[in-house]
């Protein structure tokens, strides 16, 4: 189960803001830029933020990170929460023409969070959970996650669920964990869907139900969540919650393995070794097992050592060649 998600990524947040300006004709964009600039130069914080977004995305103006940071700072200094959040993300990642500075990021996240901006509250929770730019404090992390979660912020709901599941900053409570995972899962957050699926597999906080587990894993897997893809593959391989289907198991293991999910790589290697769901192929068994072992997965290391005692030198050589080819195409 993958529990916590990191700070919102600057590029993703800017993409959401940029979407509000996208789709206009070039002449229209030019007119919009002119109008926004006039307002920004007059001190309108909302316009300053919009102009910053335009410079960050290169929409209607030549892309310029320093100009973007300039206008975001103008708005942030006026107490505009959205720009405080964006500038905080820049400091957190060391992007947009500013040096990485977690303390500055925390300060800006806090200013926006205290104004009730849910994404900033979530980010501040992450900083407390990680101890970046602030003394590590799980209770503070829980407090800020909760503020954002109660506003419907899905990633905060997931992380609050994780804190309850692990008993970090709050008394361990699997039922509460499942409640918060469900809230985020129902909003379509794949990590939360995978986490809720895992709760159903184990019967933690919910009545054990393999069918429900498979359904939640499937929702996350179809969104590309590698851990969920592996978990769904396991369900198909074992016929739990779904009709047993070894080909479907291989399909999902491969999806996850191609994303460098170590357990999926090991599982796919075993399918090839046994000829389950795919024709038996020792070279393919070697490549996937070796890739998993390279990530430090102890089971995979043991499996690779066992393979070395079974395969011929030629088969091992072919497997090692395939490993090099895979690594070259999957940076």
């Amino acid at each position: 189960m993958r529990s916590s998600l990191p700070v919102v990524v600057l590029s993703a947040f800017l993409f959401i803001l940029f979407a509000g300006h996208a789709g206009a004709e070039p002449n229209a964009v030019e007119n919009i830029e002119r109008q926004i600039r006039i307002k920004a130069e007059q001190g309108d914080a909302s316009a300053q933020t919009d102009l910053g977004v335009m410079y960050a995305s290169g929409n209607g103006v030549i892309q310029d990170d320093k100009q973007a940071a300039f206008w975001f700072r103008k708005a942030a200094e006026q107490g505009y929460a959205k720009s405080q959040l964006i500038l905080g993300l820049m400091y957190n990642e060391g992007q947009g023409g500013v040096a990485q500075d977690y303390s500055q990021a925390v300060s800006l996240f806090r200013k926006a969070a205290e104004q009730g901006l849910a994404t900033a509250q979530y980010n501040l929770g992450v900083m407390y959970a990680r101890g970046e730019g602030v003394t590590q404090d799980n209770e503070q992390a829980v407090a800020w996650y909760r503020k954002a979660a109660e506003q419907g912020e899905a990633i905060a709901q997931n992380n609050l669920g994780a804190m309850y599941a692990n008993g970090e900053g709050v008394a361990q409570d699997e039922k509460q964990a499942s409640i918060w995972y469900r809230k985020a899962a129902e909003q379509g957050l794949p990590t939360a869907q995978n986490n809720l699926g895992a709760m159903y597999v184990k019967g933690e906080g919910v009545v054990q139900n393999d069918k429900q587990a498979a359904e939640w894993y499937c929702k996350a897997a179809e969104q590309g969540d590698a851990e969920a893809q592996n978990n769904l593959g396991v369900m198909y391989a074992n016929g739990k919650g779904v009709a047993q289907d070894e080909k479907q198991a291989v399909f999902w293991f491969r999806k996850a393995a191609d994303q460098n999910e170590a357990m999926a790589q090991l599982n796919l290697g075993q399918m090839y070794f046994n000829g389950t769901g795919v024709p038996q192929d020792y070279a393919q068994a070697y490549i996937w097992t070796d890739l998993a072992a390279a990530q430090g997965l102890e089971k995979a290391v043991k499996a690779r050592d066992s393979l070395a005692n079974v395969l011929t030198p030629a088969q091992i050589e072919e497997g090692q060649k395939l490993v090099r080819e895979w690594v070259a195409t999957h940076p």
Side-chain angles (χ1 to χ4, degrees), residues 250-267:
V250 168
F251 174 83
W252 288 111
F253 287 151
R254 189 181 304 281
K255 287 273 191 184
D258 279 334
Q259 294 190 67
N260 212 27
E261 174 69 26
M263 274 305 304
Q265 290 170 337
L266 174 59
N267 288 336

Side-chain angles (χ1 to χ4, degrees), residues 19 25 44 52 99 104 112 188 190 199 202-204 211 327:
E25 295 294 326
D44 185 297
Q104 279 292 322
M199 300 291 274
K202 299 173 184 175
E204 293 178 346
K211 185 178 179 182
V327 169

Side-chain angles (χ1 to χ4, degrees), residues 194 217 221 225-237 248-249 251-257 259 261-268:
N194 178 64
Y217 284 153
D225 187 281
E227 188 173 316
Q229 290 169 341
N230 176 68
N231 289 341
L232 185 57
V234 171
M235 302 298 273
Y236 273 112
Q248 276 292 303
F251 174 83
W252 288 111
F253 287 151
R254 189 181 304 281
K255 287 273 191 184
Q259 294 190 67
E261 174 69 26
M263 274 305 304
Q265 290 170 337
L266 174 59
N267 288 336
L268 185 56

